[in-house]
Every structure is written in structure tokens, then in C-alpha cells.
Amino acid sequence: MEIIVPILTPFNEKGEIDGEKVKTHVENLLRKGVDIIFVNGTTGVGPALSKDEKRKMLDYVLDVTNKVIFQVGSLNMKEVLELVNYANEKDLIAVASYPPFYFSIPKDFIVKYFKEICKASKHPVYLYNYPGATGKDVDVNLAKEIDCIKGVKDTNPDFAHTIRYKELGIKTYNGLENLAIASLSILDGTVVGAGNYMPELFSQLREYIKAGDMRKALDLQLKIDEIDGTTIPYGKISSMYYLVKELQGYDVGVPRPPMYPLEENKAKELVEKVRKIWNKSE
Ligand SMILES: O=C(O)C(=O)C[C@H](O)[C@H](O)CO
């Protein structure tokens, strides 16, 4: 029943990563019951980071914990392999990658891509399957063909699709906040971007499930959904920077375009809306 948070990337006003803010954030997340930090995921704007920034984020998080999954995906295979080799010298749980996105490619190119990563990696290789973002669905059948995937994070509203990866006997997580109750109950855990700003709600959800108090678990899941849904019109990722400050009490810098900072009035409006839901008892 693991809680994995794809950590946001704290930027300063010049668009540089602020390492001290990364460490403060990781320390708090671990204190609040988060088990693993997923580095350079979607919430961490992984696809928008340079190779050096991806390495820096890994080093900052490793200064605090080795409970790390390091996302290495890129459309530049040379960069992917340099990141895998960099991770080979580090103590961490696994490396992960989304499939090559944007380009229309045959499935056997996706198989070759992941087999190259597996061949180069000393660590287990996890699949980050996010069809809604990449346009590619590396389902259980394709994962079987790749034949070296040791874990999967499936950001997918089709929970039946996610469950099928268990046929491979691998670590299986779903990456959607509104499926956290199912992921914590049936899979190896949940991967939640919203865990950046409300980690304690996911920890509490796990406790309710462990205690068999599914009514309370469901009510809390609905509260999580309401908060998560509130962020969508403002931009989920940009919203997180303001909600961490409001709900966790420390500064995680600003988002970097094309994840634009919120206008002051919008940020205030968002925080007021979320605070109202947060303060409601389940
Ligand atoms: O940010 C990531 O890498 C995630 O896996 C998180 C999910 O995609 C995100 O929470 C979906 O809302």
C-alpha cells in the first residue's frame, strides 16, 4: 500500500531549480507518510527538463532519501542512456520511462526502446504508461513482449487496464488521484501528483482502508476528488505550487513556463476554494 508522489520541480524566478526547496519538500512529504519519490514525472515537468536538470533533481532528492524512482524518458536516446548510466552509480529503487511520444512509430520500436534501457540499467526498469499524454498505450501484452519491465505506473482512468499488469507479477500502481482508494486497496499503491500538497489525506485514506473503514475511506476519496478537480481550470501543475505553500506551510518556488504562474487574483481564488473544502469534515 505505497504512496508515491511525483515531486514537483521548484523553480526560482529565473527558472532555475532551487535545490534547498526540493529537499525541504521531500523531507515534509516523507514526514507526512509518503513512501517513494518519483523524480522527473509529469508533475515534475520531466519532459520539459534538460538532461542536467533531470540529474540535478535526482541528486537533490537523493540528498534526503534513496526511496526514489528516477524517470529517464526522452526522445533523445543518447540522453536516455546517459541518464540510465548516471543512475547506475546511485542507490535508488528503479528507473522508469514513458514510451517515445509525439511520433507515430510501430510497436516493435517501443519494445526496442525499453529493451535498450533494460540492457543498460543496473536497476529495475519501470514503465510509465500514460496514453492520454504520450498517445501510446504500452498495455500488458506489449509489456509482456518487452519482457524486462519490473514495475508499472499506469496513469489511466481504465482501472481494469491497470489491474491486468499484475498478470506479470510486477509492482503495479495507478497514477490517478480519483482511483487512489482502489489503487491502495488492490494494487501495490498509488501515484498521486496531488500528494505534493495534501500528502496527509492520502496517508489518512490508507489508514481508513487498513482499518476496513471503507465508508470513511470513500468520503475522504470524494473530498480528495473535489480538491483535485478544483485545480483543473487553473492548471493542475501550476496550482500545486500555491497549494503546497497554503496547506504545507513552506515555499516551493514558482512553476516555469509553459506551466505559467497564476495571476494573483486567480491564486487567491484557488486557495480560498480549496481551503473551504479542506476545512469541511468528511
Ligand atoms: O506526475 C506524474 O508523473 C504522475 O504520475 C501523476 C499523475 O499523472 C497525475 O497525478 C494525474 O493527475
Side-chain angles (χ1 to χ4, degrees):
M1 289 177 128
E2 291 163 318
I3 297 170
I4 302 178
V5 169
I7 188 170
L8 59 73
T9 302
F11 296 105
N12 63 24
E13 299 297 338
K14 289 186 284 186
E16 300 155 340
I17 297 175
D18 183 324
E20 287 313 305
K21 287 183 167 64
V22 174
K23 292 184 227 177
T24 301
H25 187 37
V26 173
E27 286 161 355
N28 180 61
L29 293 179
L30 298 178
R31 262 197 308 274
K32 296 283 179 74
V34 170
D35 300 295
I36 298 173
I37 305 294
F38 190 90
V39 178
N40 304 328
T42 303
T43 304
V45 294
L49 298 178
S50 70
K51 177 177 60 180
D52 288 342
E53 288 174 330
K54 289 175 184 172
R55 281 197 292 230
K56 272 187 187 153
M57 269 306 286
L58 176 64
D59 289 342
Y60 289 137
V61 176
L62 285 177
D63 278 353
V64 179
T65 180
N66 63 356
K67 302 297 183 211
V68 170
I69 299 172
F70 179 49
Q71 204 286 121
V72 299
S74 166
L75 292 177
N76 179 325
M77 202 67 210
K78 183 171 175 291
E79 173 176 319
V80 173
L81 296 175
E82 284 174 3
L83 291 169
V84 171
N85 287 325
Y86 189 74
N88 282 343
E89 305 311 314
K90 308 290 183 180
D91 175 19
L92 45 84
I93 293 171
V95 297
S97 181
Y98 32 67
F101 52 89
Y102 187 85
F103 297 108
S104 171
I105 53 176
K107 287 187 175 181
D108 69 305
F109 286 14
I110 295 174
V111 173
K112 285 177 181 170
Y113 172 86
F114 281 101
K115 281 187 176 295
E116 270 201 73
I117 295 174
C118 290
K119 187 172 171 216
S121 181
K122 291 178 184 167
H123 298 292
V125 176
Y126 284 20
L127 160 65
Y128 177 13
N129 192 51
Y130 193 175
T134 64
K136 306 287 186 306
D137 181 16
V138 185
D139 64 9
V140 62
N141 296 319
L142 195 49
K144 276 176 191 163
E145 209 178 315
I146 294 168
D147 194 28
C148 64
I149 299 293
K150 304 297 180 200
V152 57
K153 169 175 67 152
D154 188 27
T155 295
N156 201 318
D158 179 351
F159 196 70
H161 179 284
T162 307
I163 289 176
R164 286 209 57 204
Y165 290 105
K166 289 308 288 183
E167 293 171 19
L168 303 177
I170 62 175
K171 284 271 191 180
T172 302
Y173 308 97
N174 183 282
L176 287 177
E177 287 81 357
N178 60 12
L179 288 173
I181 190 171
S183 301
L184 288 168
S185 301
I186 300 168
L187 303 176
D188 296 284
T190 185
V191 182
V192 281
N196 276 282
Y197 61 85
M198 51 181 174
E200 52 270 77
L201 297 198
F202 292 101
S203 296
Q204 182 60 64
L205 180 64
R206 175 167 55 187
E207 292 313 306
Y208 285 152
I209 294 166
K210 278 181 179 171
D213 197 339
M214 295 313 284
R215 178 71 254 175
K216 282 189 176 174
L218 180 57
D219 288 344
L220 182 52
Q221 175 68 71
L222 294 175
K223 181 174 186 175
I224 288 169
D225 294 355
E226 194 180 356
I227 293 173
D228 180 52
T230 301
T231 67
I232 294 173
Y234 298 88
K236 280 183 81 165
I237 295 175
S238 293
S239 298
M240 291 183 191
Y241 292 77
Y242 303 88
L243 294 176
V244 170
K245 192 164 186 177
E246 170 68 18
L247 301 175
Q248 299 302 312
Y250 53 84
D251 184 9
V252 284
V254 291
R256 182 171 74 179
M259 304 298 160
Y260 285 89
L262 302 189
E263 303 294 334
E264 198 174 329
N265 64 318
K266 288 293 180 192
K268 189 170 179 296
E269 185 183 85
L270 164 72
V271 165
E272 282 171 2
K273 281 180 183 174
V274 168
R275 180 51 83 182
K276 204 175 286 176
I277 304 164
W278 178 273
N279 290 338
K280 271 192 304 190
S281 56
E282 287 112 44

